[in-house]
Amino acid sequence: MGGVTSSKNPAHPGKSIRPEIAVDAEIDEEPAADPTRLNGKRGLVYLGICLVLIGLNLRTVFSSFSAVLPEIMSDAGLPGWSLVVLTTVPVTLLGVFAPLAPVLARRFGAERVLLGAMAVLTVGLLVRPLDLPGVGHLPALLLGTAECGAAIALCNVLLPGVVKRDFPQRLGLMGGLYTTAICASAALGAGFTYPIFTATGHWTSALWFWALPAAVVLLLFLPLAVRQHPVRHQAVGGGVNVWRSAVAWQVTIFMVLQAMMSFSVFAWLAPILRDRGVDGGTAGLMVSVSIVLQMLGSLFAPALAARLKDQRVINAVVALMTGGGFALSIFGPPEFIWVWTGLNGLGQGSLTAVALTMIMVRTRDAHTAAHLSGMMQGVGYGVGSAGTLMVGQLHQATGGFAAAGILFLVVGSLGAFFGYRAGRDRFV
């Protein structure tokens, strides 16, 4: 495996870093990607608004589906296997399509790829609830969900680089707005989908609603993106081979385990709460509050992690908080259900943030950080989707969520172990 050193990282001495903004997927391009062509300061503000609004659409597909899952299953008559696929495929595609994003950006420009991704996301959200004559809802659900997963994967990879490139003097502000928007999108999907279902009387309307904000962002971003004139770029080498580094694999496995828990919360927490007797509206509200607490965790955890000599303790603690909160949401006394979901939310937000922070504190240069980020996203999301898959299969096999609770006690414990290993003061 690749060599490892154990000294302070000179690039980040006690510095608080937003990893999502610090990693640029286009860093290996030659010539370097130019900033977005804009008409003065107003154009820059307009671009910033568009990027934040794109972030505000990147998680609704996950949380909106789970908010009305019992209604979908009952009305559409879906087979059990389809539920497992529909909750797993979009997360898997986040990993599958992540490596394609820099390739497309080199050919068409990041702005036009983002525009295309938003178009695909809008179409996917429109297709998802369709009832096709003779075949029912299942084919459209599968196709639309897959389109959404592919589109979100491209945005996940390219948005941070565009923010870093066009807002070099405002990374703190844009980092806060961008990451908050992504968390808020999950909270909005969880909190408003069931009330929309109640108001309209059908789950298809509740899912179709989320195509509206995506279409608005598409139209807002259209004139800005088509104005760009992409220049062909070539990929050049830089940094170390992260695939041969033991530290890189420890960080990546830590990312896999946090992704298993993170996307399982999006897909399954609302159904778990409803299985415990919580009504649909309250379950959606509880998931939204849990996600707001994720936002708090993601705000404070990276600053703490970056100031520590190593991150072994904080990585282990937040992994155990997340797995324990998930299990207690299933096993714990129902009168404390708000406490359990809150513990899970605070732990999950902190866990996701410190896992991403490992990209910066375990690497010495921007090229290595970008390569480690690509490795973590490809493997992390691709393998991490097994979490939603296993929860679905266990639920289908047992008819309940008790086995899933045991699963996430195990996953949380493994996350603590690999987080402890990844948190040692060593570098890729």
Side-chain angles (χ1 to χ4, degrees), residues 19 27 32 37 53 65 107 118 122 138 142 195 231 239 285 291 303 306 339 354 361 363 401 408:
I27 197 166
R37 292 178 176 85
L53 291 177
F65 182 78
R107 175 64 179 85
M118 287 306 299
T122 304
L138 182 57
L142 292 170
V231 177
L285 178 61
I291 294 170
V339 176
V354 297
V361 299
T363 57
F401 290 104
F408 281 98

Side-chain angles (χ1 to χ4, degrees), residues 56-358:
L56 203 56
N57 284 271
L58 296 186
R59 295 296 181 267
T60 56
V61 65
F62 302 105
S63 54
S64 62
F65 182 78
S66 65
V68 289
L69 185 55
E71 287 73 23
I72 295 174
M73 295 298 293
S74 173
D75 181 70
L78 301 179
W81 63 264
S82 67
L83 180 60
V84 176
V85 172
L86 287 167
T87 54
T88 303
V89 163
V91 187
T92 304
L93 291 179
L94 295 184
V96 171
F97 278 83
L100 185 61
V103 178
L104 292 174
R106 284 194 292 270
R107 175 64 179 85
F108 301 104
E111 296 86 357
R112 294 192 177 192
V113 177
L114 285 173
L115 178 68
M118 287 306 299
V120 173
L121 178 61
T122 304
V123 171
L125 291 168
L126 288 170
V127 167
R128 190 168 57 150
L130 289 177
D131 184 5
L132 301 177
V135 294
H137 285 283
L138 182 57
L141 277 168
L142 292 170
L143 176 61
T145 300
E147 290 177 335
C148 292
I152 293 168
L154 299 179
C155 294
N156 279 347
V157 175
L158 293 180
L159 264 178
V162 175
V163 170
K164 181 181 180 183
R165 186 183 68 200
D166 290 307
F167 298 90
Q169 308 303 320
R170 296 288 185 271
L171 285 183
L173 173 63
M174 284 301 299
L177 292 174
Y178 165 67
T179 54
T180 299
I182 292 178
C183 285
S185 70
L188 291 171
F192 285 96
T193 302
Y194 193 85
I196 295 170
F197 162 73
T198 302
T200 61
H202 209 283
W203 62 268
T204 54
S205 300
L207 293 189
W208 264 320
F209 173 82
W210 299 107
L212 178 61
V216 169
V217 177
L218 173 64
L219 293 176
L220 289 174
F221 195 55
L222 177 64
L224 192 152
V226 298
R227 189 187 307 150
Q228 308 308 311
H229 302 291
V231 177
R232 283 185 175 271
H233 299 270
Q234 293 182 338
V236 295
V240 302
N241 185 348
V242 295
W243 296 91
R244 298 180 61 186
S245 167
V247 173
W249 277 107
Q250 290 161 6
V251 171
T252 298
I253 294 173
F254 184 44
M255 180 69 170
V256 166
L257 295 164
Q258 83 79 22
M260 290 178 70
M261 292 189 279
S262 177
F263 285 96
S264 293
V265 168
F266 291 150
W268 292 106
L269 184 55
I272 285 170
L273 295 174
R274 297 183 68 176
D275 187 65
R276 299 208 68 184
V278 180
D279 67 87
T282 304
L285 178 61
M286 294 174 73
V287 175
S288 293
V289 171
S290 177
I291 294 170
V292 169
L293 290 173
Q294 286 190 29
M295 295 161 68
L296 291 177
S298 67
L299 178 64
F300 294 108
L304 176 60
R307 282 174 168 78
L308 295 172
K309 180 180 179 180
D310 62 56
Q311 295 74 37
R312 290 177 293 179
V313 174
I314 189 173
N315 287 357
V317 168
V318 296
L320 292 174
M321 282 176 60
T322 306
F326 201 105
L328 285 168
S329 298
I330 298 172
F331 298 128
E335 57 267 28
F336 297 110
I337 195 70
W338 282 92
V339 176
W340 312 141
T341 56
L343 177 66
N344 175 265
L346 190 60
Q348 184 64 67
S350 302
L351 176 61
T352 303
V354 297
L356 290 169
T357 302
M358 292 300 99

Side-chain angles (χ1 to χ4, degrees), residues 5-14 305-311 361-364 425-427:
T5 61
S6 179
S7 59
K8 279 284 183 185
N9 189 337
H12 317 294
R307 282 174 168 78
L308 295 172
K309 180 180 179 180
D310 62 56
Q311 295 74 37
V361 299
R362 295 283 83 86
T363 57
R364 292 185 176 278
D425 187 21
R426 300 185 177 189
F427 300 104

